């Protein structure tokens, strides 16, 4: 199976090749450099007119992309480091994500904003954060985060072509060089990939009609150990930290005989709860793992919605997340601030 | 270079100016009655800018307006009843009551209430039209107060780098809400645009017939050369920023109303019969539009808030 980097790059290549409306913008994305994390490598050589390197103007680029989208193009913007999405907040929240609703459904803004997030690279407090918690819950904005258990390239393609509304696409930096899991080879696990049924009929943008935001195309993966006793704990995670949860689940099963079910949504906002709720109904316990700071984040919302839905059937719930601190540059300090496999194992043991 | 434009006749221009004037007066007069939601920013005194700039645009041209956008909307050809209805939060409003005064979208007209944020979006629209090889250009309105927003300069930089077909219209009314320009804008305004290699024309006039040909010339250049231009219009607003927040000297405004009223300046060109006929027509039309909007239904929240975007 390919790496995440390869899959994302191929998705962008295919997008440019298949539709002239696709325009890719970002800082330092031209060949031979090909972008800070090389996701755009090779694109400008193939499509010099539609791969645009920009000044260091994150808000301006997103605004320009939104304007292009309002007038019929399909722009994809790269923000070089996810930490810089603070700079695009007004353009996303008060402009791109708001236009469709406040203009009474008379317009669409099909932009995709891709950005690498996350730590463990030693980049320090302003180049290592997990910032999507500040954008989840924004009405009119879809926030996606791929992992290695479903195809990130497919998710990106769908965000570009099947979504007529703004998408923030979160790529954890440590995912790039990881290989996408082949679900047929996850031999120890039962594997389900679930894409919620669309609530409304859906037309592709290609034939000129409107894809509805309520059409949820982002998959959620569920994994539980094959031929094992029923799981007693649901572990929900997204993005790169899904790998940690996966390692922890194996360890919990083989070392401690604690059997878990893993649930990995790729859509963070609007909050995709279907698989998390159905799993937690079976297990009664929910552990939520995220790399962002602990308080007031995705995990808090997931647990709140689960508690509201399950009532007393939710026996216990916990969060694993980063400490409520900036990310230090020094290796041992950074490791101490961010959540690790051991934290998941310890929390799980306390819950069952 | 001389550009010939199909300039509207004096009677039409007078009617266009007066429609905006009477609309804004009706808004301010009726606000205390509680018929409108929120607040408003009126265009009183600046009418010649919108009418002059938008007189000769093509049907595909795009206008991006700001918080003080009623005049732009009406000069673009927007419907008076729909605008009243939008301010009243009615289903028949420009955006069904979702947007209100500052958030309008109709045909190729857009407005938003956050200062400066529209400038990169308008630039992106212009770049999209250029990429599509369309004939359309963008006209983006901003005020002197907007010059404090950093994203404006990001957009000017990229508009020039990538030669966006856009006309920036800066209406300098010398005051941002209650802050006079001397306390908010350092240096030279036109130099800001020139620094990005964007050609600037500047006028100090409230005469629609002075503004119109200069705007038409710039629009023709933007369209034919696919390149950005700026028109700085030194202007005066007669009303408060919104409703009751004017701290300026009343005598100063009274003097401006004598010297710089676009309606009075242009009225001299009409014979009194035509002038009176237009005034009666506009008066009647505004009153009818207001009454219609008032009678229009408010949205049913149980139906209007579902369906179109996902709830979180």
């Amino acid at each position: 199976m390919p790496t995440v980097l390869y899959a994302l790059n191929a998705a962008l290549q295919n997008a440019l090749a298949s539709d002239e409306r696709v325009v890719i913008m970002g800082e330092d994305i031209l060949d031979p450099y090909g972008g800070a994390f090389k996701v755009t490598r090779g694109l400008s050589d193939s499509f010099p007119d539609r791969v645009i390197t920009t000044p260091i103007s994150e808000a301006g680029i997103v605004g320009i992309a939104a304007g292009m989208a309002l007038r019929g193009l399909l722009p994809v913007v790269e923000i070089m480091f996810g930490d810089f999405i603070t700079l695009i907040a007004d353009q996303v929240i008060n402009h791109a994500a708001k236009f469709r609703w406040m203009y009474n459904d008379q317009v669409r803004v099909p932009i995709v904003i891709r950005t690498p997030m996350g730590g463990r690279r030693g980049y320090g407090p302003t180049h290592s954060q997990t910032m999507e918690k500040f954008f989840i819950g924004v009405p009119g904005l879809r926030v996606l985060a791929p992992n290695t258990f479903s195809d990130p390239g497919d998710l990106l393609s769908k965000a570009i072509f099947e979504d007529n509304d703004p998408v923030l696409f979160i790529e954890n930096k440590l995912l790039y060089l990881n290989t996408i899991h082949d679900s047929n080879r996850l031999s120890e696990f039962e594997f389900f990939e679930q894409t919620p049924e669309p609530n409304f009929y859906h037309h592709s943008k290609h034939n000129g009609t409107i894809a509805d935001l309520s059409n949820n195309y982002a998959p959620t993966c569920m994994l539980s150990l094959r031929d094992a006793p029923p799981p007693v704990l649901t572990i929900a995670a997204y993005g790169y930290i899904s790998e940690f949860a996966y390692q922890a689940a194996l360890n919990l099963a083989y070392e401690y005989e604690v059997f878990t079910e893993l649930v990995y949504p790729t859509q963070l906002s609007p909050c995709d709860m279907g698989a998390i709720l159905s799993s937690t109904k079976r297990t009664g316990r929910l552990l939520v793992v995220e790399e962002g700071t602990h308080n007031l984040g995705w995990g808090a919302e997931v647990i709140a919605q689960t508690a509201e839905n399950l009532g007393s059937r939710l026996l216990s719930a916990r969060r694993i997340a980063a400490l409520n601190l900036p990310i230090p540059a020094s290796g041992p300090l950074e490791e101490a601030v961010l959540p690790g496999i051991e934290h998941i194992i310890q929390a799980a043991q306390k819950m069952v | 270079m001389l550009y010939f434009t199909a300039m509207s006749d004096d009677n039409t221009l007078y009617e266009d100016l007066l429609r905006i004037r009477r609309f804004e007066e009706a808004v301010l007069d009726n606000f205390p009655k509680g018929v409108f939601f929120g607040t408003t920013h009126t265009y009183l005194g600046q009418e010649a800018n919108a009418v002059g700039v938008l007189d000769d645009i093509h049907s595909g041209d795009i206008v991006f307006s700001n918080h003080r956008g009623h005049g732009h909307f009406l000069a673009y050809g927007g419907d008076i009843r729909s605008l009243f209805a939008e301010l009243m939060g009615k289903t028949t409003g420009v955006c069904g009551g979702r947007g209100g005064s500052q958030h309008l979208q109709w045909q190729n007209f857009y407005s938003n209430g956050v200062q400066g944020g529209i400038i990169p979006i308008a630039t992106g629209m212009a770049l999209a039209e250029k990429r599509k090889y369309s004939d359309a250009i963008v006209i983006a309105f901003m005020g002197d107060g907007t010059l404090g927003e950093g994203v404006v300069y990001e957009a000017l930089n990229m508009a020039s780098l990538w030669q966006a077909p856009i006309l920036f219209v800066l209406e300098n009314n010398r005051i941002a809400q209650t802050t006079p320009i001397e306390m908010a804008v350092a240096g030279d305004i036109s130099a800001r645009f020139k620094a990005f290699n964007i050609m600037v024309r500047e006028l100090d006039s409230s005469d629609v017939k002075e503004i119109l040909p200069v705007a038409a010339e710039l629009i023709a250049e933007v369209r034919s050369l696919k390149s950005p231009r700026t028109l700085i219009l030194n202007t005066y607003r007669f009303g408060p920023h919104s409703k009751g927040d004017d701290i300026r000297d009343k005598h100063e405004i009274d003097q401006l109303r004598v010297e710089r009223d676009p309606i009075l300046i242009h009225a001299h060109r009409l014979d009194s019969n035509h002038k009176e006929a237009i005034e009666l027509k506009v008066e009647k039309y505004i009153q009818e539009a207001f009454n219609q909007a008032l009678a229009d239904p408010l949205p049913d929240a149980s139906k209007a808030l579902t369906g179109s975007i996902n709830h979180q």
Side-chain angles (χ1 to χ4, degrees):
Chain A
M1 292 296 281
T3 62
V4 171
L5 184 66
Y6 178 88
L8 294 173
N9 179 262
L12 293 174
Q13 281 277 4
N14 291 338
L16 285 161
S18 66
D19 194 323
E20 290 198 337
R21 295 172 300 172
V22 175
V23 174
I24 298 189
M25 304 168 71
E27 296 158 12
D28 301 293
I29 63 172
L30 296 190
D31 297 317
Y33 183 67
F37 292 90
K38 310 306 172 196
V39 181
T40 54
R41 182 181 269 168
L43 303 183
S44 72
D45 279 351
S46 304
F47 304 96
D49 296 338
R50 288 187 283 129
V51 179
I52 306 165
T53 195
T54 70
I56 304 173
S57 304
E58 287 80 6
I61 304 163
V62 171
I64 283 175
M68 287 176 165
L70 281 165
R71 304 304 301 186
L73 302 187
L74 298 176
V76 180
V77 175
E78 174 172 298
I79 301 296
M80 188 189 280
F81 278 83
D83 308 71
F84 309 158
I85 62 171
T86 50
L87 294 162
I88 68 170
D90 179 60
Q91 283 298 323
V92 172
I93 298 168
N94 279 325
H95 296 80
K98 200 153 278 162
F99 284 154
R100 176 176 173 177
W101 172 261
M102 85 177 185
Y103 294 153
N104 208 19
D105 281 331
Q106 292 156 186
V107 305
R108 298 292 183 277
V109 191
I111 59 170
V112 176
I113 303 164
R114 303 178 27 254
T115 193
M117 285 285 184
R120 292 195 163 87
R121 298 266 303 218
Y123 292 147
T126 66
H127 288 65
S128 307
Q129 298 166 92
T130 297
M131 303 284 273
E132 55 270 19
K133 70 187 287 185
F134 301 113
F135 284 71
I136 59 177
V138 171
L141 178 68
R142 195 192 298 273
V143 181
L144 300 177
N147 56 55
T148 46
F149 295 87
S150 55
D151 183 356
D154 185 53
L155 187 64
L156 181 55
S157 295
K158 285 178 170 154
I160 297 169
F161 290 116
E162 293 186 17
D163 200 324
N164 260 329
D165 297 295
V167 173
L168 181 60
F169 194 87
I170 306 296
E171 302 165 4
N172 189 288
K173 298 177 191 101
L174 297 189
L175 274 179
Y176 286 135
L177 299 181
N178 281 15
T179 305
I180 300 166
H181 291 282
D182 181 346
S183 55
N184 297 318
R185 292 182 175 221
L186 289 165
S187 54
E188 291 151 313
F189 285 89
E190 300 273 2
F191 180 90
F192 303 96
E193 182 171 306
Q194 175 181 333
T195 305
E197 288 295 307
N199 299 329
F200 290 80
Y201 64 90
H202 163 240
H203 300 287
S204 137
K205 272 183 279 196
H206 294 295
N207 59 22
T209 50
I210 300 302
D212 203 285
L213 184 72
S214 55
N215 178 52
N216 186 349
Y217 51 83
T220 296
C221 298
M222 296 171 73
L223 295 92
S224 54
L225 274 172
R226 206 182 287 279
D227 302 325
V232 292
L233 171 68
T234 298
I235 303 180
Y238 70 86
Y240 173 73
I241 213 143
S242 311
E243 305 278 340
F244 284 12
Y246 177 73
Q247 296 298 328
L250 286 172
N251 192 287
L252 283 162
Y254 292 124
E255 299 291 327
Y256 304 101
E257 296 195 346
V258 172
F259 299 99
T260 59
E261 185 160 66
L262 301 170
V263 184
Y264 298 150
T266 54
Q267 177 169 306
L268 309 185
S269 183
C271 199
D272 183 4
M273 290 299 296
I276 296 173
L277 290 176
S278 64
S279 174
T280 310
K281 274 178 193 159
R282 289 192 295 274
T283 63
R285 298 176 185 84
L286 176 61
L287 176 62
V288 184
V289 189
E290 62 193 311
E291 193 180 317
T293 48
H294 184 275
N295 292 356
L296 299 161
W298 177 73
E301 177 65 22
V302 166
I303 289 174
Q305 289 206 30
T306 306
E308 284 172 338
N309 272 276
L310 267 61
S312 59
R313 282 183 291 168
L314 179 61
L315 304 176
S316 72
R318 286 180 86 106
R319 282 171 289 170
I320 297 290
L323 301 182
N324 294 310
L325 285 171
I327 312 291
S330 166
L333 293 178
E334 182 176 33
E335 194 57 35
V337 166
L338 295 176
I341 297 171
E342 206 47 46
H343 296 109
I344 303 171
I345 295 169
Q346 287 166 11
Q349 286 178 280
K350 285 180 192 157
M351 289 175 74
V352 296
Chain B
M1 206 186 310
L2 258 178
Y3 289 90
F4 293 98
T5 153
M7 189 193 293
S8 294
D9 64 39
D10 285 342
N11 291 339
T12 307
L13 289 172
Y14 188 66
E15 185 174 331
D16 290 347
L17 293 168
L18 203 63
R19 272 159 47 96
I20 300 172
R21 173 64 54 90
R22 294 286 176 262
F23 176 87
E24 297 289 45
E25 287 173 346
V27 168
L28 283 183
D29 287 349
N30 288 286
F31 236 106
K33 297 180 190 162
V35 298
F36 300 117
F37 289 99
T39 188
T40 187
H41 308 103
T42 64
Y43 203 59
L44 298 166
Q46 300 182 206
E47 296 91 342
N49 303 341
V51 173
V53 170
L54 300 180
D55 184 68
D56 193 31
I57 59 170
H58 294 186
S59 64
D61 288 347
I62 298 159
V63 176
F64 221 126
S65 170
N66 51 31
H67 65 296
R68 200 173 302 288
H70 303 165
H72 306 143
F73 178 78
L74 296 177
Y76 175 77
D79 177 53
I80 290 180
R81 173 189 172 182
S82 320
L83 188 55
F84 273 134
E86 187 62 30
L87 271 64
M88 294 173 183
K90 301 297 182 76
T91 54
T92 52
V94 182
C95 291
R98 285 183 182 175
S101 167
Q102 307 184 68
H103 315 104
L104 305 172
Q105 198 284 320
W106 178 70
Q107 295 189 356
N108 291 315
F109 184 95
Y110 307 76
S111 75
N112 199 6
V114 181
Q115 289 297 306
I118 67 163
I119 302 300
I121 291 166
T123 302
M125 291 171 145
L127 291 166
E129 295 303 322
K130 187 175 178 178
R131 282 179 171 267
K132 293 190 288 184
Y133 302 104
S134 93
D135 186 45
I137 67 154
V138 178
I139 294 153
F141 286 95
M142 63 177 120
D144 49 293
T146 317
L147 295 171
E149 297 286 2
V151 78
V152 169
Y153 304 95
E154 295 184 18
L156 294 180
N157 187 43
M158 287 183 273
S160 178
L161 272 176
W162 300 332
Q163 291 293 287
I166 182 167
L167 176 66
F168 299 108
V169 179
L170 189 142
E171 296 180 80
N172 177 8
N173 63 19
R174 297 158 213 262
I175 189 160
Q177 192 147 344
T178 63
T179 305
I181 192 163
E182 297 77 20
M183 295 171 74
V185 181
D188 184 338
I189 292 176
S190 68
R192 286 164 161 75
F193 295 90
K194 289 173 188 161
F196 293 105
N197 211 16
I198 297 173
M199 198 197 288
V200 180
R201 292 282 299 274
E202 183 164 1
L203 286 174
D204 190 351
S205 172
S206 298
D207 184 350
V208 67
K209 294 194 79 166
E210 284 184 39
I211 294 167
L212 196 156
V214 175
E217 195 172 317
L218 289 170
I219 285 170
E221 284 178 16
V222 169
R223 199 184 309 282
S224 61
L225 303 174
K226 303 288 178 210
S227 175
R229 294 285 184 278
T230 297
L231 176 59
I232 298 174
L233 296 172
N234 293 298
T235 189
Y236 294 94
R237 71 165 152 80
F238 297 163
H241 165 69
S242 49
K243 300 196 302 285
D245 48 4
D246 209 341
I247 47 132
R248 294 174 298 176
D249 182 0
K250 191 177 172 302
H251 298 296
E252 180 193 327
I253 295 167
D254 290 343
Q255 189 64 27
L256 290 172
R257 282 183 180 273
V258 174
E259 292 169 2
R260 290 293 294 256
D261 186 338
I263 311 286
L264 293 180
I265 291 169
H266 190 64
H268 294 307
R269 301 190 177 109
L270 273 64
D271 73 55
S272 58
N273 287 341
H274 278 114
K275 184 171 160 294
E276 273 171 39
I278 291 167
E279 285 164 0
L280 282 172
K281 179 182 164 191
V282 169
E283 204 77 54
K284 183 165 174 287
Y285 192 80
I286 294 279
Q287 195 56 50
E288 282 173 4
F290 179 85
N291 289 337
Q292 282 171 336
L294 200 60
D296 285 339
L298 284 164
D300 176 353
S302 68
K303 291 180 187 145
L305 296 182
T306 56
S308 75
I309 66 171
N310 255 359
H311 291 268
Q312 296 296 311

